[in-house]
Amino acid sequence: MSNLRLLSDEQNNRIRLFYKTGFPIGIIFMLAFGIPLTIVVAAFAGIIASVAMLLLIAGGIYLIVKKRSKKITHALQVYEYGTEEDIYFDSIELNYNYQVNGRPQQIINIRRGNELIQVKTFSSKVCDAFSLPSQKAYFYDRYPEIVLPSSIFYTTINDKQDPPQKTRSVSI
């Protein structure tokens, strides 16, 4: 059975900051290649084809923005309607098969009763939120892919993206 928790403005902002990501690269890609392509289409195929191309670009941008806001909406519902359970930090693994700017993907293993949950991320704010030895987390059966740690409500969350990390290799 799920409980109903009221969401204050502070909790709402903290959940939004936790799930907020940077500007999506898909929108940049669509604008960088879509607008010049639309101009070329207008020159060779006419204004009707150009308008159709602009509508496709606008539709793509809408879908990207909608997907991003959907995850935040689900997280808000997990807090409001989900159950509060104890989770325990188990370990952090590094997956060198996926790297961003030379930084490997981090896999955070947490335990919920007898269940092992793996959180895969590149973000240090996610690692910080799940790295407490023991804490409460919110789960909702309707959205099993979302685990909302309670630490985001009482720790500092930086609303800026992680600073780029410089990596260098030295041969000895």
Side-chain angles (χ1 to χ4, degrees), residues 58-99:
I61 291 172
Y62 170 76
L63 290 175
I64 290 171
V65 170
K66 183 178 177 185
K67 181 176 168 88
R68 287 169 50 116
S69 64
K70 186 175 172 182
K71 187 165 190 171
I72 292 173
T73 303
H74 289 178
L76 293 170
Q77 289 179 1
V78 166
Y79 177 75
E80 287 182 308
Y81 304 113
T83 58
E84 185 180 68
E85 298 182 31
D86 290 323
I87 61 170
Y88 302 96
F89 174 78
D90 191 33
S91 63
I92 293 182
E93 301 172 5
L94 298 176
N95 183 2
Y96 286 96
N97 292 328
Y98 297 104
Q99 295 185 12

Side-chain angles (χ1 to χ4, degrees), residues 145-158:
E145 72 280 358
I146 294 183
V147 178
L148 188 64
S150 64
S151 64
I152 66 170
F153 299 120
Y154 54 84
T155 56
T156 304
I157 295 178
N158 187 359

Side-chain angles (χ1 to χ4, degrees), residues 1-13:
M1 176 164 170
S2 62
N3 301 325
L4 177 63
R5 277 177 287 288
L6 297 177
L7 193 62
S8 69
D9 289 339
E10 175 70 19
Q11 291 165 330
N12 187 346
N13 289 338

Side-chain angles (χ1 to χ4, degrees), residues 29-71:
F29 180 79
M30 286 184 166
L31 292 175
F33 292 105
I35 292 175
L37 189 61
T38 303
I39 294 169
V40 170
V41 167
F44 291 109
I47 196 74
I48 295 173
S50 177
V51 169
M53 182 74 95
L54 282 174
L55 288 175
L56 283 174
I57 292 170
I61 291 172
Y62 170 76
L63 290 175
I64 290 171
V65 170
K66 183 178 177 185
K67 181 176 168 88
R68 287 169 50 116
S69 64
K70 186 175 172 182
K71 187 165 190 171

